[in-house]
């Protein structure tokens, strides 16, 4: 299990970051979009089984299961708790990492001070359907007939799922519309692929394995993740739960995330909408994310939240 650990002071609270994908590591984001969280936390950028530094052709395919990934996460958390002498740590999951993370939070609440879901997945197939509808509307309004034709030939339905044509087109179409990985990132190539190769912390072999792991990991989890409606089965938690959501996120639809939040029961919960973000609020608006982590998450409160789930809370509209 490979990981980067960054900290100005190892006595600071430990924050375990679960990357997205499946299989897509995110430590490289710190290069162009530094969060500065290592000044306040002992930041742990763990690379999950079959991903990045943890990829190996020797990883048994039969171990690539949700049960094993949950167990891995708990084992890593226990290792960090022992290493840094902390009874509880903070768990933050992003996208696929939030799908994994919320399962871990439900299974082992005693290990964590709080669970933070960034771009929290709720029901991914419904999110894909809503993304295609939004993109068709957007590109029609732009007069981009070529993209409209491509989207029309790339169906996504609740009955049939995602077509191969949609999976080939979705990232490009989302990024060009400002609703992909980041609101201001218009290309996966210039925003993710090329910056990854510039990260000096990785060896050349590790950089190659990042892409091998991404391709290898996804098929083990994608179909089950796609059709799983978390709001119908995972709503009761014994620890504080916080969601960081980008207003422009159509990878994990912000409306679905908010609807999921409303169904959750937890000792404390907070929903935070980032107006200038898409799928990655921590990297897009790091100052606000840091304030939330320090003043709400570490304190076990929701004073800065847009929605707290309290009686009489008025739902806001997502544009």
């Amino acid at each position: 299990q490979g990981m980067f650990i960054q900290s100005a002071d190892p006595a600071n609270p430990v924050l375990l970051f679960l990357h997205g994908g499946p299989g897509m590591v995110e430590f490289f984001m710190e290069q162009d979009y530094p969060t500065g969280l290592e000044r306040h936390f002992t930041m742990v950028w763990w690379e999950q089984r079959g991903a990045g530094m943890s990829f190996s052709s020797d990883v048994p395919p039969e171990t690539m299961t949700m049960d094993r990934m949950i167990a891995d996460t708990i084992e890593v958390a226990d290792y960090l708790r022992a290493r840094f002498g902390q009874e509880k740590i903070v768990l933050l999951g992003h996208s696929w990492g939030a799908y994994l993370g919320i399962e871990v939070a439900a299974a082992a609440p005693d290990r964590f001070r709080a669970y933070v879901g960034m771009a929290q997945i709720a029901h991914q197939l419904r999110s894909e359907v809503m993304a295609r509808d939004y993109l068709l509307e957007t590109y029609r309004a732009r007069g981009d007939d070529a993209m409209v034709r491509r989207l029309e030939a790339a169906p996504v339905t609740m009955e049939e799922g995602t077509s191969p044509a949609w999976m080939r087109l979705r990232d490009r179409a989302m990024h060009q519309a400002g609703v992909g990985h980041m609101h201001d990132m218009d290309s996966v190539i210039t925003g993710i692929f090329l910056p990854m190769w510039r990260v000096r912390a990785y060896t050349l072999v590790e950089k190659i394995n990042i892409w091998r792991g991404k391709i290898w990991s996804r098929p083990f989890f994608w179909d089950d993740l796609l059709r799983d409606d978390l709001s119908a089965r995972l709503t009761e938690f014994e620890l504080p739960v916080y969601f960081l959501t980008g207003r422009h996120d159509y990878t994990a639809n912000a409306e679905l995330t908010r609807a999921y939040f409303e169904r959750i029961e937890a000792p404390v919960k907070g929903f935070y909408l980032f107006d200038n973000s898409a799928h990655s609020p921590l990297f897009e608006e790091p100052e606000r994310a840091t304030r939330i982590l320090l003043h709400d998450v570490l304190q076990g409160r929701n004073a800065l939240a847009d929605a707290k789930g309290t009686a009489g809370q008025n739902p806001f509209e997502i544009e």
Side-chain angles (χ1 to χ4, degrees):
Q1 302 284 352
M3 64 187 74
F4 292 101
I5 301 179
Q6 298 176 306
S7 187
D9 182 350
N12 284 341
V14 172
L15 192 157
L16 173 57
F17 183 93
L18 304 183
H19 63 71
M24 189 63 204
V25 302
E26 295 186 61
F27 176 72
F28 78 96
M29 292 290 292
E30 281 283 290
Q31 177 176 254
D32 294 336
Y33 304 95
T35 64
L37 287 177
E38 72 281 357
R39 297 195 298 269
H40 310 286
F41 295 88
T42 295
M43 283 296 299
V44 181
W45 305 90
W46 168 47
E47 306 198 341
Q48 300 157 23
R49 177 181 297 261
M53 290 189 295
S54 300
F55 172 82
S56 168
S57 56
D58 294 332
V59 175
E62 62 270 19
T63 68
M64 297 293 287
T65 66
M66 275 303 299
D67 285 347
R68 183 64 255 175
M69 297 298 278
I70 292 168
D72 278 358
T73 310
I74 294 171
E75 289 178 20
V76 168
D78 286 345
Y79 162 75
L80 296 169
R81 292 166 61 227
R83 175 172 174 173
F84 294 102
Q86 298 184 20
E87 182 180 355
K88 295 185 178 183
I89 66 176
V90 176
L91 182 66
L92 191 158
H94 181 205
S95 194
W96 147 260
Y99 180 75
L100 170 61
I102 205 162
E103 294 269 16
V104 173
D110 56 310
R111 268 82 163 184
F112 305 105
R113 299 173 66 152
Y115 167 69
V116 183
M118 176 170 64
Q120 179 65 53
I121 286 176
H123 190 178
Q124 192 57 31
L125 181 54
R126 190 170 298 280
S127 179
E128 301 288 323
V129 171
M130 295 171 75
R132 180 177 177 270
D133 290 345
Y134 172 83
L135 292 171
L136 277 167
E137 180 181 344
T138 298
Y139 285 107
R140 282 173 181 147
R142 290 183 180 182
D144 189 338
D145 294 337
M147 181 60 82
V148 169
R149 287 195 296 273
R150 293 189 188 100
L151 287 166
E152 288 176 338
V156 184
T157 67
M158 295 301 296
E159 295 74 28
E160 300 297 326
T162 56
S163 64
W166 167 251
M167 296 306 295
R168 290 191 298 269
L169 182 62
R170 70 191 287 276
D171 284 353
R172 176 185 172 189
M174 284 189 186
H175 281 86
Q176 290 180 4
V179 297
H181 192 62
M182 302 181 75
H183 188 42
D184 65 355
M185 184 184 290
D186 59 9
S187 167
V188 176
I189 299 299
T190 59
I192 296 178
F193 181 78
L194 295 178
M196 184 81 77
W197 290 99
R198 299 199 306 267
V199 180
R200 299 180 65 182
Y202 290 112
T203 67
L204 177 59
V205 171
E206 287 169 344
K207 291 175 182 178
I208 293 170
N209 282 344
I210 287 170
W211 301 104
R212 292 178 69 192
K214 179 180 185 297
I215 294 168
W216 188 69
S217 295
R218 187 184 185 93
F220 291 105
F221 303 105
W222 179 249
D223 287 343
D224 288 341
L225 177 155
L226 194 65
R227 295 187 178 276
D228 190 1
D229 182 0
L230 289 175
S231 67
R233 70 172 183 86
L234 198 61
T235 58
E236 296 183 6
F237 298 89
E238 298 175 14
L239 78 175
V241 173
Y242 302 92
F243 287 174
L244 312 183
T245 301
R247 180 181 290 274
H248 305 281
D249 191 359
Y250 276 84
T251 303
N253 185 277
E255 294 182 24
L256 293 180
T257 301
R258 170 58 191 266
Y260 182 26
F261 169 83
E262 292 292 349
R263 300 198 64 176
I264 283 176
E265 296 181 10
V268 178
K269 65 177 186 175
F271 183 93
Y272 306 81
L273 189 71
F274 288 71
D275 287 335
N276 300 312
S277 297
H279 195 53
S280 307
L282 178 62
F283 302 108
E284 298 179 83
E285 299 180 60
E287 292 184 1
R288 184 182 178 213
T290 299
R291 286 197 303 272
I292 292 165
L293 289 169
L294 293 177
H295 298 294
D296 275 9
V297 174
L298 286 186
Q299 304 300 322
R301 60 183 187 176
N302 54 16
L304 303 178
D306 299 299
K308 305 170 186 179
T310 56
Q313 183 76 34
N314 291 324
F316 60 88
E317 293 182 357
I318 297 178
E319 297 172 354

